[in-house]
């Protein structure tokens, strides 16, 4: 059921035509990509190549993987990206990641997009586990995960190399049963018997 729609956002597959917005809004911004394992895009052509390189993987592994543009409904502007990628087919587990342009930080868009992806993954794709990890020097990313209902699982010490430096990763996850329980509690609070 993609595209996904929230109150303020549309989450849809990327198109090559999104390269200019992606470049302008986050792919060329060192603040946005500071904790990401890949380099900035120096040109719109670099951004175009990145989108083109991503697309085959997500098409081959759909519906257990998706790369989605985060689009503001009011302005039809691509402000970020959110993806989920299969990490264990048998366990029905995916890793989720997201990036939002700096102009839209602190507005709740990342949490809103993540909540929509979590619902889609559990309700439609019937996955069992969604997890994410972030660099502990980026606590705002952890707050997004918490607000979306994900639970802290631990810190993996010096488990990755990012820009030539060993870094820790903080891991959060949510299970289908956690999500179903939270939905039931929210429903019961909204409609007490």
């Amino acid at each position: 059921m993609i595209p996904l729609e929230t109150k303020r956002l549309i989450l849809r597959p990327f198109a090559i035509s999104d390269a200019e917005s992606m470049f302008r809004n986050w792919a060329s911004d060192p603040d946005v990509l500071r904790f990401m394992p890949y380099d900035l895009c120096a040109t719109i052509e670099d951004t175009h190549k990145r989108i083109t390189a991503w697309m085959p993987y997500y098409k081959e592994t759909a519906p257990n993987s998706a790369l989605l543009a985060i689009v503001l409904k009011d302005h039809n502007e691509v402000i970020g990206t959110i993806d989920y990628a299969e990490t264990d087919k048998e366990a029905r587990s995916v890793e989720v990641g997201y990036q939002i342009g700096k102009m839209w930080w602190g507005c709740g868009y990342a949490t809103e997009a993540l909540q929509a992806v979590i619902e889609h993954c559990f309700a439609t794709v019937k996955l069992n586990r969604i997890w994410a990890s972030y660099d502990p020097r980026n606590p705002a990313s952890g707050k997004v995960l918490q607000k979306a209902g994900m639970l802290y699982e631990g810190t993996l010490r010096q488990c990755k190399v990012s820009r030539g430096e060993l870094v820790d990763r903080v891991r959060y996850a949510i299970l289908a049963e956690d999500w179903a329980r939270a939905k039931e509690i929210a429903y019961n609070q909204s409609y007490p018997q």
Side-chain angles (χ1 to χ4, degrees), residues 19-186:
E20 187 175 333
S21 294
M22 180 175 163
F23 177 78
R24 180 180 63 249
N25 291 333
W26 76 91
S28 63
D29 187 333
D31 291 334
V32 175
L33 298 182
R34 180 175 171 207
F35 301 109
M36 301 309 291
Y38 43 83
D39 294 327
L40 298 171
C41 292
T43 65
I44 292 173
E45 169 113 347
D46 291 343
T47 310
H48 181 276
K49 288 177 186 174
R50 187 167 289 169
I51 293 170
T52 303
W54 285 342
M55 287 179 156
Y57 168 78
Y58 289 96
K59 284 182 181 175
E60 288 172 19
T61 57
N64 293 343
S65 300
L67 172 65
L68 304 171
I70 301 172
V71 182
L72 283 178
K73 277 185 184 178
D74 291 347
H75 305 291
N76 200 29
E77 177 80 9
V78 178
I79 64 165
T81 180
I82 188 163
D83 72 299
Y84 60 93
E86 184 175 78
T87 57
D88 189 319
K89 189 177 187 97
E90 192 174 359
R92 299 182 340 270
S93 177
V94 297
E95 178 181 15
V96 68
Y98 46 85
Q99 297 157 21
I100 296 283
K102 188 167 41 181
M103 184 183 304
W104 299 279
W105 286 359
C107 299
Y109 294 125
T111 302
E112 189 172 327
L114 180 55
Q115 288 170 329
V117 164
I118 288 170
E119 178 145 351
H120 169 73
C121 286
F122 290 143
T124 304
V125 185
K126 304 300 184 195
L127 296 173
N128 180 59
R129 175 180 163 80
I130 301 168
W131 65 274
S133 66
Y134 69 93
D135 188 309
R137 297 171 296 175
N138 183 15
S141 191
K143 288 179 183 170
V144 169
L145 301 175
Q146 291 168 10
K147 288 177 185 175
M150 299 178 83
L151 303 173
Y152 174 75
E153 291 192 324
T155 300
L156 306 173
R157 299 178 307 141
Q158 296 184 6
C159 66
K160 291 262 187 196
V161 174
S162 180
R163 305 190 190 285
E165 176 184 10
L166 282 168
V167 296
D168 296 348
R169 299 295 289 179
V170 179
R171 185 168 288 186
Y172 276 73
I174 186 169
L175 301 177
E177 63 191 48
D178 301 332
W179 173 77
R181 190 176 322 109
K183 295 235 355 145
E184 184 179 340
I185 290 168

